[in-house]
Amino acid sequence: MGAGGRMVAPPVRKNADADTHKRVPYSKPPFSLGEVKKAIPPHCFQRSVIRSFSYVFYDLTIASILYYIASTYIQNLSQPLSFLAWPIFWYVQGCVLTGVWVIAHECGHHAFSDYQWLDDTVGLILHSCLLVPYFSWKYSHRRHHSNTGSLERDEVFVPKQKFEIGWYAKYLNNPPGRFFTLLIQLTLGWPLYLAFNVSGRPYKGFACHFHPYGPIYSDRERLQIFVSDAGVLAVFYGLYRLAAAKGLAWVICFYGGPLMVVNGFLVLITYLQHTHPALPHYDSSEWDWFRGALATVDRDYGILNKVFHNITDTHVAHHLFSTMPHYHAMEATKAIKPILGEYYQFDGTPVYKAMFREAKECIYVEPDEGAKKGVFWYKKKL
């Protein structure tokens, strides 16, 4: 009872989870790409060689310091302290090297500098050192950006329709099964994608990022696939020589552990950017580039947003303007939010919760009953 005997209604608690699951509109936006671009300050599209290299040097300096700490101190720790210290080193170094990977990714988008040859040189070196075939990934990733949200033509994390779900899915649709699926995905997902196109779009023939004559690439791209393979092979040879000189355990501790963390984060970041109950997918009857590019979500990784050069929380802007350098992406994101309105999707759910939620909620896609047939939404009922 309130003053004067009136009933006071209790405050209505806002359901954050309901807001998170509120679907992005799938109709054609009432704004154009040009209008979105006009909202962004012009300097955000300017690329600086000096500033871009400053991030390369910063990341490599931190990685060198961590290597020094590991080789000087952690390597000499007695057990059981070493069993605790090495995983910490792997995680921290892996996070830093994920930032290096992101800079190479930026080179692949021609967002590093105004010079394509410089972007490709820096990208080839950095990605090869992380065992990524630079040009191979560059071309398949470019097609991902050209076909985001398309069930037929997108390149990565293409959701299955219900009739494509394997018989084993119902046995994995429980907490232990989802944990096992995520574990395999985060540890083996990246090399399986590169080698066998796992989770990618189906191709006729053997699709592999190391195969110059595979169906992923056109004739004019094949020579650069050889260059990518040569870069990865050169690094493998260097690792072989290191293993011969210092031992396989040394290579695993100083390189293999951090690389596993890098690979895991690449899969996790991409998975959560394109997998969400609120995001639509389209078949060829409904898909267009603009709506597909908007069918992505920004996430919050806390302090790692900065370590990963904000690839995590500015992904929507990145899909709209992929040649924009990362150091302007936060400013651009703030500028376009009022224009995008409901078409902008951000989910601040902690990442460790989000990945299990998405594994539970986003099993396959199908149109809503009685709704547009070309618009597909994630479903979970098997």
Side-chain angles (χ1 to χ4, degrees):
M1 297 286 288
R6 291 173 302 188
M7 293 294 293
V8 177
V12 178
R13 294 186 63 184
K14 187 175 180 181
N15 190 333
D17 190 58
D19 284 349
T20 296
H21 283 67
K22 184 179 180 181
R23 288 177 171 180
V24 173
Y26 62 83
S27 57
K28 290 185 183 295
F31 48 82
S32 67
L33 182 64
E35 289 171 329
V36 177
K37 187 173 183 180
K38 285 180 181 178
I40 301 173
H43 71 265
C44 289
F45 297 96
Q46 296 173 359
R47 297 164 291 201
S48 167
V49 173
I50 294 175
R51 190 167 182 183
S52 292
F53 266 115
S54 72
Y55 288 97
V56 177
F57 293 139
Y58 178 82
D59 284 353
L60 294 182
T61 298
I62 299 300
S64 299
I65 291 172
L66 291 170
Y67 167 77
Y68 173 79
I69 292 172
S71 60
T72 305
Y73 300 105
I74 297 178
Q75 188 173 226
N76 297 318
L77 286 176
S78 58
Q79 298 176 2
L81 288 178
S82 62
F83 291 140
L84 176 65
W86 277 118
I88 294 174
F89 166 73
W90 295 340
Y91 180 79
V92 177
Q93 184 75 301
C95 289
V96 174
L97 293 180
T98 301
V100 174
W101 196 102
V102 171
I103 294 174
H105 157 270
E106 191 146 288
C107 292
H109 281 292
H110 193 23
F112 186 83
S113 76
D114 292 333
Y115 310 100
Q116 185 68 67
W117 68 268
L118 181 61
D119 288 22
D120 285 341
T121 302
V122 174
L124 177 64
I125 293 170
L126 295 181
H127 261 174
S128 295
C129 288
L130 296 172
L131 300 182
V132 178
Y134 169 74
F135 288 108
S136 309
W137 168 86
K138 172 184 172 179
Y139 291 131
S140 68
H141 189 66
R142 181 178 65 187
R143 294 187 181 96
H144 159 62
H145 271 257
S146 298
N147 299 285
T148 305
S150 168
L151 288 177
E152 290 96 348
R153 298 187 303 274
D154 201 353
E155 286 285 340
V156 64
F157 282 115
V158 183
K160 296 181 183 296
Q161 296 185 52
K162 190 172 184 179
F163 69 86
E164 298 174 308
I165 295 293
W167 59 268
Y168 51 84
K170 62 181 180 181
Y171 299 106
L172 296 175
N173 191 25
N174 50 65
R178 288 189 282 272
F179 177 83
F180 174 77
T181 300
L182 287 169
L183 179 64
I184 297 299
Q185 190 170 299
L186 296 180
T187 54
L188 300 177
W190 178 244
L192 288 176
Y193 170 67
L194 291 179
F196 303 107
N197 201 40
V198 173
S199 86
R201 71 175 265 198
Y203 281 96
K204 292 182 179 179
F206 178 56
C208 170
H209 281 74
F210 300 100
H211 184 18
Y213 295 100
I216 300 177
Y217 306 109
S218 64
D219 289 340
R220 67 180 181 83
E221 296 166 345
R222 303 198 194 285
L223 178 60
Q224 290 179 310
I225 310 308
F226 280 108
V227 174
S228 298
D229 291 350
V232 172
L233 285 173
V235 174
F236 264 121
Y237 179 72
L239 293 172
Y240 165 76
R241 295 300 299 267
L242 275 173
K246 294 179 173 291
L248 180 60
W250 189 95
V251 173
I252 292 173
C253 286
F254 284 92
Y255 181 83
L259 186 66
M260 288 288 289
V261 173
V262 173
N263 293 349
F265 268 122
L266 297 183
V267 173
L268 180 63
I269 290 169
T270 309
Y271 173 66
L272 291 182
Q273 285 168 341
H274 296 282
T275 307
H276 193 282
L279 297 181
H281 284 76
Y282 308 94
D283 68 14
S284 57
S285 69
E286 280 289 326
W287 181 88
D288 63 65
W289 179 87
F290 197 20
R291 284 189 293 168
L294 291 170
T296 59
V297 57
D298 288 347
R299 301 276 189 171
D300 185 6
Y301 284 66
I303 192 174
L304 292 181
N305 289 330
K306 290 295 183 184
V307 178
F308 297 159
H309 303 303
N310 297 108
I311 196 174
T312 47
D313 55 344
T314 63
H315 189 67
V316 175
H318 171 65
H319 260 270
L320 294 174
F321 308 104
S322 60
T323 59
M324 180 190 298
H326 69 85
Y327 39 82
H328 293 315
M330 284 297 294
E331 183 178 358
T333 296
K334 291 177 183 177
I336 66 176
K337 280 183 182 180
I339 305 292
L340 299 183
E342 289 185 315
Y343 286 83
Y344 174 77
Q345 181 73 18
F346 173 83
D347 190 341
T349 303
V351 170
Y352 69 92
K353 289 184 178 180
M355 66 180 185
F356 281 101
R357 184 193 67 197
E358 268 46 305
K360 178 181 179 181
E361 302 284 334
C362 304
I363 299 177
Y364 61 91
V365 294
E366 68 177 6
D368 285 342
E369 189 173 348
K372 275 198 172 185
K373 293 301 182 184
V375 181
F376 292 72
W377 300 97
Y378 279 109
K379 304 291 177 68
K380 63 179 180 179
K381 186 176 180 180
L382 291 172

